[in-house]
Every structure is written in C-alpha cells, then in structure tokens.
Amino acid sequence: MTKPDALHELSTLLGQRLSTSKFELEAHGRSESYFPTTLADAVAFPDSTEEVSEIVKICGRHGLPVIGWGAGTSLEGHALAKQGGVIVDFRNMNQIYDLHAEDMSVTVQPGITREALNEELRATGLFFPVDPGANATIGGMASTRASGTTTVRYGTMRDNVMALEVVMPDGRIVRTGSHAKKSAAGFDLTALMIGAEGTLGLITELTLKLQGQPEAVGAAVCAFDNISDAVATVIETIQFGLPMARIEFIDAATAAAVNAYSGSELPLTPHLLVEFHGSEAALAEQAEVFGGILAEHGGKGFDWATAPEDRKALWHARHHAYWAILNSRPGCRAVVTDLCVPISRLAGAVEATRTDIDQSGLQGPILGHVGDGNFHAILMIDPERPEELDRAKELSDRMVKRALFMGGTVTGEHGVGYGKLEYMPMEHGEGWDVMAQIKAALDPMNIMNPGKVVRFGE
Amino acid sequence: MTKPDALHELSTLLGQRLSTSKFELEAHGRSESYFPTTLADAVAFPDSTEEVSEIVKICGRHGLPVIGWGAGTSLEGHALAKQGGVIVDFRNMNQIYDLHAEDMSVTVQPGITREALNEELRATGLFFPVDPGANATIGGMASTRASGTTTVRYGTMRDNVMALEVVMPDGRIVRTGSHAKKSAAGFDLTALMIGAEGTLGLITELTLKLQGQPEAVGAAVCAFDNISDAVATVIETIQFGLPMARIEFIDAATAAAVNAYSGSELPLTPHLLVEFHGSEAALAEQAEVFGGILAEHGGKGFDWATAPEDRKALWHARHHAYWAILNSRPGCRAVVTDLCVPISRLAGAVEATRTDIDQSGLQGPILGHVGDGNFHAILMIDPERPEELDRAKELSDRMVKRALFMGGTVTGEHGVGYGKLEYMPMEHGEGWDVMAQIKAALDPMNIMNPGKVVRFGE
C-alpha cells in the first residue's frame, strides 16, 4: 500500500486521464491569490460519477488525499494539495442533464461553468442567478458556498441548490434533497455539503433552482463624495426593502484601477453600481425610490443603462475589478479580505478598514457586495518582499477580528480553505469541534481535502 | 445509575419545575393526529440554556431520553416519548432578547410562539413571515423545518434562521451561524440543526431574519369548476414568476367543512386563496396579471379583500381548516398526508390523490400550499375502527410512493417524527445511512429524541 501503488491503480483506471506531468501539476498547483504553488502527486480527469467513486476508493485504500478542482478561481487555497494526493479535475464532467423549464430547475454536472450554463439557458427565458464574478464552475461554487453580486436578491449557493449527488469518502454515491421545492424529510445533507469545500465528499451532480429572466433590467452607476454617503445609501435602500438585483460598492482606488484597465471614465470617488430586475412599471417605481434615497446622500449621475451593451460594459468592468487592481501594480499578488457584517455595522466596518489600510502604507482598494454587508479589501503585495505579506496579513487579522466583534463572519463568500483556517475556532468556538466530529464520522481516514476547513485528530 | 436516580437529580436541579404528575404527562403525551397517547417519565420546564444543558448532562449520565416540546402542534409524533425519558417543555424560555430593527433580525428563545412574536414586532414595521397555520413555537418550527402559507414568497425555516444556540447531546452549548446575512465559514451547522427534530441537540436560542411589513396587502378567494383548472392556475402563476405572498388550494370538501365551521358561504367547488404583498402600484400590477391567468382557467369571483378584517377572516378560515375538517365528523382523528412534488407534477398528483380517496370509501378533504407543490389530504378515521386507520395508512402509503416517483418528498413541511420514519430509506437511500453516521457521531448514547428521523445502531 504505497503511493506508487495508488498511482498505478489510478492509471489503470483512467489511462491518459491521469496525469503526473509537470505542466498539469503546476497548472493545478497555482492559486489566484498569494499562496505559493503547491504540487499534487497527480491530476485525474474523470468522465463519470462511477469513475470519481473508484478514484476515491483507490485513494482511500492507500490513504492518499483527494482534492476536487473546478476552475481554480478560489481565493483561500481550497484546491491546493497541501498534503499531496490526487487532484480531481471535473473539466470532463460539464454536461447539462435535465432542464425542467416548467419546474424552473436544471440538473448539471459539477464541471460546467456558470457562464456556459447561462449561455445554454438563454433561449429558455431562464437563468441561474448566482454570480461570484469569476467564471467558476457550479461544483466549485457549491463547494465554497459562493455568492456574489446578485445575492442581495437571489441568495447564495445555499439558497439555489435543491439536490446533490455526492461521492462520499468511502466511495458511496449518495443523493441528497429532492426535486420538490422544499422538504422536511430528515437532516439537510444538501446544506451540509454546500460549503464543505470537498472535505466531506465530492459533488458529482447538482440540481439547481432557476429564475425567470426579468421582463426589464436597468442598471446605473452613481458617484459619491465619500464612503459614508455611499454606504448610508446602501443601508437605507436595504432597510427600505427595495428588491435590488445588485448593489455594489467600489471605492476611489478601485475606480482608478477600473478606469485604467477598462477605459471607463469614472470620477475618482466612491461609487455604487446598481441593477434592478422586474416589470417596466416595477423598475420605474424602484428607480424613483432609489433616486430619492440617493439624492438625500448626495449621490450623483444616476444614469440608467437599459441597453444590454451598456449594462454588459458596466458589469464587465465590475467583474474585472480584481484584475484591474492587480494590474495597477504589475507583478503584485494580493491578500483578499472577505468580511461580512450586519448591515447596521457596515459603515463603521468599511471606514475603519479604509483608515487601517491608509495607515499601513499598503495599497488596498475596497469593493464589495454591500447589500449583504460583504466587502473585500484587495491588499496588494510584492511577492519579492515578504514583509509586505506580513503587513497585509496583520492588517487582515485586524479586520477579521473587527468583523467578529461586530457579529459578522470572517468570510462572507470566499470560504475557509486554509487561508482562514486559524480563525475558525474564534468564529465558531465549540461549533468548530462539532464540525470536526462530523468530519471524523464521515471521513475517518481524512482523505478528502485534508488540512482545510476543519481540524482533524488534533 | 437508574431512572429514579436521574429523576432525583433533575428534581434537585429544577424543584417544582420538574413534574411527574399524570396531568402533565398526559398533556405532553398527546398528539394532534392519530398517534396514541404516549407517556414520558417526567416533564421539565427549564428557565435557561444552562438548565437545559444540565438536564441533558444528567440524562446523558443515566441514558435517559430527552425530548424537546414546543406547543405540541406537530403532526408526526415528533415530541412523543416513544422510549420514555424527559420532555423538555420550553414554555418558560419565551423571551425576545435582541431586536435589531436596522438589521431586520431578532434573537428569541425557542418557546415563543410565532403569533406572540409577531404581536411584539407589530409596532416596529417588521414581521416574521413563516406561517405553518398552527400557533407553533419558533423552536418547534425550526426543529421540524416548518413552512406553510407564506413559504412561496418568504421561504421555509431553513431560509429564515440565521444563527442558533444549541445544547448538544453531551451538554455543550454551541453557537452556529452569525448575525451577518451570509457566511462561507465552514459546515452549515445551522441548516443541519433545522429539521433535525431535536435528534442532534436542543435549540435554546434563534436569530431570525425579519421582513418589512408590506406597504399594501391584497387578498382574494377564487372559485373553480374543478381541481385541474385551479391547479393549472397555480402552475401558470408560479411559472410566470408572480411574487405571490400566498397561494393556497382547498377542494370542495374543504370548502364545505370551512363553511360549516367558520360560517362562510363558499360555493362547494375547489378554490384558490391568494395574497399579494407590495406597493400599491405593484399590487395593482400583480392583480392584473393574476386576473388574466385566472380568467383563462375559468376562475370566478376574484374579489379583493384589502380591508384588514376581511383578510383576517379569510386566513382565519384557512388556518382553522384542519379543525373545521375534524369537526365535520365529530370524534374523528386524522391521518394527514404531506406530499410535495415538482410543480409540473402537481396537477397529476392532486387529481390522482382525489381519485384514490374517492375510491377508498374514506373522507379526505385536500388542501395545501400549492405554490410550493405541497398539499395535504386529511384522511378522517374513527379511532374506534382500526380498519379505518389501516385503510388510511394504505392510502397514505400509495400517495407517498407516488410523490417519490414524481421526484418529490414524503414530507414537505410536517417532518418525519416517527410517522414517516419507514419512508426515509426509500426517499434517501444511502443518504439515510449518512444521517445515521452523523447522529451516531454527535449523540453516541442516542439520548436525543430516540426513535425519530434516523436509525440508530441497527
């Protein structure tokens, strides 16, 4: 029972679809944030649930770690093979199985990306709303409980997955949930697997809730003199109950980076980017209410972008803000914070974060899904200067603790991976031990993405 | 280590707040549906989380079962002490701790009822939307993953609880979730506890999402010539994406029972009862769309009840439909089915159910939260005639299997208890084994509500 034996068995199972090439190992060892490249022992490209089950069984027999891989867009090192093992890349499992338009649901394999899915859905009048920005896979989004720009209206992955097929740590293939809209039949295994980051099993199929494409969509950018006015506008909008489809904040530094990268001409001040979904009449009503709130807080330039190409440009700029920011300092990497606080604490949290960054000497634009109380600081560091990474981590530590103090969470949507592992006992107390008990019960060999999310056997 | 020792220790802890009187044991041994009265060994009335923790520790030391008790309104025998033990009645833990109006959240103890909570909230302009009909406690509603008439708009308990405090089977006091709107920080213990029916721990505190009271509310009753027209109206309404606040179905037999009980004068045909929430303009728009769908399917009498007292009468009649039906055959008990199917299968499911009942010789009005694909048949039985119970169970069995065949669930909202236990392997397959693994890991002594939801050590 050795690693070479395991790889031999995997190779017999998968043939060319098991790779140990330097190229593949490196491609599956990189992170989009500051983590160093980490090489697995092999990368597997299964074609079916049955193959995933066989892979897990082989790895279980040999005690080799198994780590799922979607599009590699995660930011907390979730898919890095910290203890070696086999990366299971779901790129070949990217089919849409069943589209039930009349039930507004669809069953997909985990390797399909959200953009590919929505492209396929376009003609049906339906769409899958969760939008983390990156063109992540649906399996990866479920595993990290992703959310994003539209969550203020449509919820997170937790709210938009009805049923799963999961390969358990012992290779069993289990189905969770049903195709009904709700159920009270036993423990919510679907919710347990969503956000487990592959530590309890590998998701091999998902049934998703879909939404009807809105009759009308309107979007707008509004500029503010300062952060507090922008955030006050958000808080009032949410408290009023306006059904915003998106309400995003970018600060002046982000606006500058976006201008340089996307060729836009935003004034160098804080902004809100908003979107409304509904009937024409509902849109008009919402815009009027929002315009009123905006005016009270000195918001400027509330111009509608109802033409699809204008909206596309707007959200393209927002979705590429991370890259725009990295691009503003060539060669830099980033520590990305992901705080989420109760909306009543949002203004205080964002302002204190801005002050902290300004005092640190680091560059760190702030942006986020403020309708949920969730925002990110992109702390830029020079990978050649370890002291910058230390300073960024110190800064992040300070922000994380502030969020917890405010009743919030250390990660609104990026997940734990190993980047946030140290904060889990602080956020959950003995609840983290309960998570470890569940992990130990379902994965006693600790082969599923070891070293992430939970503590094992310590 | 005997039962008398345990009761003695509990009595020392609680004094008069531990009862072994026949009156209390019987009051906590009755079910609202067909289950026979089942007596516990004692009933405890703790005043605090710490006392609940002590109760659980004492029972753990002596291997005595612990069963939570809210308002006793469950329908599947959840809170019956099938294996004896101590009923923990949360009536003294019914406080509202923290109302965060600006965050639209509130923290409460489990023993508060939903009506009492909403009464307290009225002046704030906020409300807690989940409405299972019965005036259940919030803790009981969370434990059974309750939903009800407003779920089509506002979701189930799963969607409306942000954070919990739970006393675990070993007495540890654990907090789950946070006060932020979302989090990606580890396993979703909140979702795991919701719907666990007290088999993994006792919920001692809940933080709930609140909704703003809508600017305007309109409700209406519409009559149909037959079931299929009524159901077709529902399906089209949901598929159109109209944000109905309620859309309830009652059949002709239910209408007759309601008339007799509430003094209404509904025509003896199937009906839909609907409610809209929104601004005045949004309501008018929604009503127009709904009126159009209705007209296509021959719906009649779409009269607005915008006056609060008319709406109150309407929903009072709906909420008391169960009692109205039981009252239509004095002395009867009921087997209440709780199927939930994908909306595309709803018409077929309801019609087949109606036919089954008509052929059975039993009386069984049908009603339900059809916007979610969820409906109930109230199969009336004479408790003196065991053959009627057998026939009702046979009928229920047939319906349950049909729902599973259609991709649905055996229980949309009533939960498993022990009434639906036998169907769990059929619905979940190996997923039920996973539930048992979690149960065994967290409650190795099997003291928390044993014999419900999961299998243990078989």
Side-chain angles (χ1 to χ4, degrees):
Chain A
M1 300 291 192
T2 64
K3 194 183 288 180
D5 288 340
L7 296 181
H8 178 73
E9 285 181 43
L10 290 168
S11 171
T12 304
L13 175 71
L14 298 168
Q16 294 296 314
R17 291 183 289 104
L18 186 82
S19 175
T20 54
S21 79
K22 187 160 179 287
F23 172 81
E24 288 294 359
L25 295 181
E26 283 187 351
H28 293 82
R30 278 194 286 268
S31 159
E32 285 203 2
S33 57
Y34 65 93
F35 301 99
T37 298
T38 310
L39 300 189
D41 294 302
V43 183
F45 299 93
D47 282 341
S48 67
T49 297
E50 289 66 31
E51 279 189 355
V52 175
S53 169
E54 288 305 315
I55 292 167
V56 171
K57 284 180 189 167
I58 291 170
C59 289
R61 281 202 297 274
H62 297 279
L64 206 60
V66 183
I67 304 106
W69 186 276
T73 54
S74 85
L75 292 170
E76 294 292 358
H78 301 79
L80 297 181
K82 288 283 285 177
Q83 303 178 17
V86 179
I87 300 260
V88 177
D89 183 323
F90 285 99
R91 74 166 64 148
N92 297 338
M93 291 175 63
N94 64 354
Q95 298 301 300
I96 296 179
Y97 280 138
D98 280 308
L99 172 64
H100 292 287
E102 68 282 26
D103 290 319
M104 300 174 74
S105 73
V106 67
T107 300
V108 303
Q109 288 187 305
I112 193 168
T113 65
R114 64 173 186 87
E115 287 181 6
L117 173 61
N118 277 324
E119 193 58 42
E120 288 292 324
L121 290 175
R122 185 157 303 160
T124 64
L126 299 167
F127 75 111
F128 182 67
V130 184
D131 170 13
N135 187 22
T137 61
I138 297 294
M141 287 164 62
S143 291
T144 54
R145 204 184 299 129
S147 47
T149 59
T150 57
T151 291
V152 62
R153 171 72 166 263
Y154 299 106
T156 73
M157 287 302 283
R158 177 190 197 274
D159 308 304
N160 287 283
V161 177
M162 302 165 69
L164 295 173
E165 180 189 72
V166 182
V167 172
M168 299 299 293
D170 57 5
R172 269 176 307 171
I173 300 166
V174 162
R175 290 189 169 276
T176 74
S178 82
H179 287 209
K181 274 196 181 175
K182 64 180 191 183
S183 170
F187 303 167
D188 192 342
L189 297 182
T190 307
L192 182 66
M193 293 295 165
I194 292 172
E197 304 185 5
T199 62
L200 298 178
L202 287 175
I203 295 172
T204 48
E205 195 183 291
L206 309 93
T207 300
L208 310 171
K209 283 186 202 173
L210 301 175
Q211 299 288 331
Q213 287 167 14
E215 183 187 324
V217 179
V221 187
C222 349
F224 292 83
D225 289 336
N226 53 58
I227 292 178
S228 61
D229 283 340
V231 174
T233 301
V234 173
I235 294 173
E236 204 170 313
T237 303
I238 296 300
Q239 288 172 354
F240 188 90
L242 262 196
M244 309 298 294
R246 288 176 158 124
I247 185 161
E248 296 282 306
F249 170 81
I250 61 173
D251 72 355
T254 305
V258 164
N259 283 347
Y261 190 78
S262 300
S264 49
E265 296 181 347
L266 300 172
L268 299 183
T269 66
H271 288 76
L272 292 180
L273 288 63
V274 297
E275 189 166 285
F276 302 89
H277 291 176
S279 65
E280 294 286 358
L283 240 64
E285 195 182 6
Q286 291 168 29
E288 193 188 328
V289 174
F290 183 73
I293 296 171
L294 195 67
E296 278 173 40
H297 298 284
K300 287 166 223 141
F302 177 44
D303 288 327
W304 277 107
T306 45
E309 58 276 19
D310 294 343
R311 285 204 317 276
K312 209 170 163 185
L314 172 67
W315 295 116
H316 185 271
R318 167 63 188 89
H319 281 149
H320 288 75
Y322 179 56
W323 301 109
I325 290 165
L326 288 186
N327 203 55
S328 70
R329 188 177 170 192
C332 83
R333 307 287 281 167
V335 172
V336 184
T337 70
D338 178 34
L339 312 178
C340 191
V341 297
I343 199 95
S344 65
R345 312 302 296 263
L346 181 62
V350 173
E351 282 168 23
T353 299
R354 186 69 268 159
T355 304
D356 278 352
I357 298 172
D358 291 344
Q359 289 173 354
S360 75
L362 290 178
Q363 285 177 278
I366 296 173
L367 70 174
H369 319 303
V370 280
D372 306 318
N374 182 207
F375 64 99
H376 312 293
I378 317 288
L379 305 173
M380 285 186 280
I381 54 169
D382 180 340
E384 305 299 316
R385 296 191 189 173
E387 72 277 14
E388 288 197 2
L389 177 57
D390 292 344
R391 223 184 314 154
K393 282 188 172 174
E394 254 171 57
L395 206 52
S396 166
D397 182 74
R398 198 177 153 84
M399 295 176 198
V400 159
K401 288 173 181 159
R402 185 186 296 121
L404 290 179
F405 176 76
M406 290 177 164
T409 174
V410 306
T411 171
E413 57 181 15
H414 292 170
V416 181
Y418 74 90
K420 288 292 189 310
L421 197 59
E422 64 177 304
Y423 297 109
M424 295 297 279
M426 216 177 295
E427 175 154 347
H428 297 292
E430 300 216 57
W432 201 42
D433 300 328
V434 175
M435 295 183 202
Q437 287 178 279
I438 295 170
K439 167 74 171 175
L442 299 182
D443 183 19
M445 299 274 293
N446 194 25
I447 62 163
M448 306 305 293
N449 208 3
K452 317 289 168 59
V453 187
V454 283
R455 167 165 57 192
F456 189 90
E458 285 158 44
Chain B
M1 298 292 193
T2 62
K3 193 183 289 181
D5 287 342
L7 296 181
H8 179 73
E9 286 181 42
L10 289 167
S11 172
T12 304
L13 175 71
L14 299 167
Q16 294 297 313
R17 291 183 289 103
L18 185 81
S19 174
T20 52
S21 80
K22 187 159 180 285
F23 172 80
E24 288 294 358
L25 295 181
E26 282 186 353
H28 292 82
R30 278 194 286 267
S31 159
E32 285 204 2
S33 55
Y34 65 92
F35 300 99
T37 298
T38 309
L39 299 189
D41 294 302
V43 184
F45 299 93
D47 281 341
S48 68
T49 297
E50 290 65 33
E51 278 189 354
V52 175
S53 170
E54 287 306 315
I55 292 168
V56 170
K57 283 179 189 166
I58 291 169
C59 289
R61 282 201 297 275
H62 296 278
L64 205 60
V66 183
I67 305 107
W69 185 276
T73 54
S74 84
L75 292 170
E76 295 291 358
H78 301 80
L80 297 181
K82 287 284 285 179
Q83 303 179 18
V86 179
I87 300 261
V88 177
D89 183 321
F90 285 99
R91 75 166 63 149
N92 296 338
M93 292 175 64
N94 64 354
Q95 296 303 299
I96 296 179
Y97 279 137
D98 280 309
L99 172 64
H100 293 287
E102 68 282 27
D103 290 319
M104 300 173 75
S105 73
V106 67
T107 300
V108 303
Q109 288 187 307
I112 192 169
T113 65
R114 64 172 187 86
E115 287 180 7
L117 173 61
N118 277 323
E119 193 58 42
E120 288 293 325
L121 291 174
R122 185 158 302 159
T124 66
L126 299 167
F127 76 109
F128 182 68
V130 184
D131 170 14
N135 187 22
T137 62
I138 298 294
M141 286 166 62
S143 291
T144 54
R145 204 184 296 129
S147 47
T149 60
T150 58
T151 291
V152 64
R153 171 72 166 263
Y154 299 105
T156 72
M157 287 303 283
R158 176 190 197 275
D159 308 306
N160 289 285
V161 179
M162 302 166 70
L164 295 173
E165 180 189 73
V166 182
V167 171
M168 299 298 294
D170 57 6
R172 269 177 307 172
I173 299 166
V174 163
R175 291 190 168 273
T176 75
S178 83
H179 287 208
K181 273 196 182 177
K182 63 181 192 182
S183 170
F187 304 166
D188 192 341
L189 296 183
T190 308
L192 183 64
M193 292 296 165
I194 292 173
E197 304 183 4
T199 62
L200 299 178
L202 287 176
I203 296 171
T204 47
E205 194 183 292
L206 309 94
T207 300
L208 310 172
K209 285 187 200 169
L210 300 176
Q211 300 288 330
Q213 288 167 13
E215 182 187 325
V217 178
V221 187
C222 349
F224 292 84
D225 289 337
N226 52 60
I227 291 177
S228 61
D229 283 341
V231 174
T233 301
V234 174
I235 293 173
E236 204 170 314
T237 302
I238 296 300
Q239 288 172 355
F240 188 90
L242 262 197
M244 309 298 294
R246 289 176 158 124
I247 184 162
E248 296 281 305
F249 170 82
I250 61 172
D251 72 354
T254 305
V258 165
N259 283 347
Y261 191 79
S262 300
S264 49
E265 294 183 347
L266 300 172
L268 300 182
T269 66
H271 287 75
L272 292 180
L273 288 64
V274 298
E275 188 165 286
F276 302 90
H277 292 177
S279 66
E280 294 285 358
L283 240 63
E285 196 183 4
Q286 291 167 29
E288 194 188 328
V289 174
F290 183 72
I293 295 171
L294 194 69
E296 277 173 40
H297 298 285
K300 285 165 225 142
F302 178 43
D303 288 327
W304 278 107
T306 44
E309 58 275 19
D310 294 343
R311 286 203 316 277
K312 210 170 161 185
L314 172 66
W315 296 115
H316 184 271
R318 167 64 187 88
H319 281 149
H320 289 73
Y322 179 56
W323 300 111
I325 289 165
L326 288 186
N327 205 54
S328 70
R329 188 178 168 191
C332 83
R333 306 287 282 168
V335 172
V336 184
T337 71
D338 178 34
L339 312 178
C340 191
V341 297
I343 197 98
S344 65
R345 311 303 295 265
L346 181 62
V350 174
E351 282 169 22
T353 300
R354 188 67 268 158
T355 304
D356 278 352
I357 298 172
D358 291 344
Q359 289 174 354
S360 75
L362 291 178
Q363 282 176 281
I366 297 173
L367 71 173
H369 320 303
V370 280
D372 306 318
N374 183 207
F375 64 97
H376 312 294
I378 316 289
L379 305 173
M380 286 186 278
I381 54 168
D382 180 342
E384 305 299 315
R385 295 191 191 174
E387 73 277 11
E388 288 196 2
L389 177 58
D390 292 344
R391 223 185 313 156
K393 284 188 169 173
E394 253 171 58
L395 206 51
S396 167
D397 182 75
R398 196 178 154 85
M399 295 175 198
V400 159
K401 288 174 181 160
R402 185 187 296 122
L404 289 178
F405 176 76
M406 289 177 165
T409 175
V410 306
T411 170
E413 58 181 12
H414 292 168
V416 180
Y418 73 91
K420 287 291 190 311
L421 196 60
E422 64 177 304
Y423 297 109
M424 294 298 278
M426 217 178 294
E427 174 153 349
H428 297 293
E430 300 216 56
W432 202 42
D433 300 328
V434 174
M435 295 182 203
Q437 286 178 278
I438 295 170
K439 166 73 173 176
L442 299 182
D443 183 18
M445 298 275 292
N446 194 27
I447 61 162
M448 306 305 291
N449 208 2
K452 316 288 168 61
V453 187
V454 284
R455 165 167 58 191
F456 189 90
E458 287 158 42

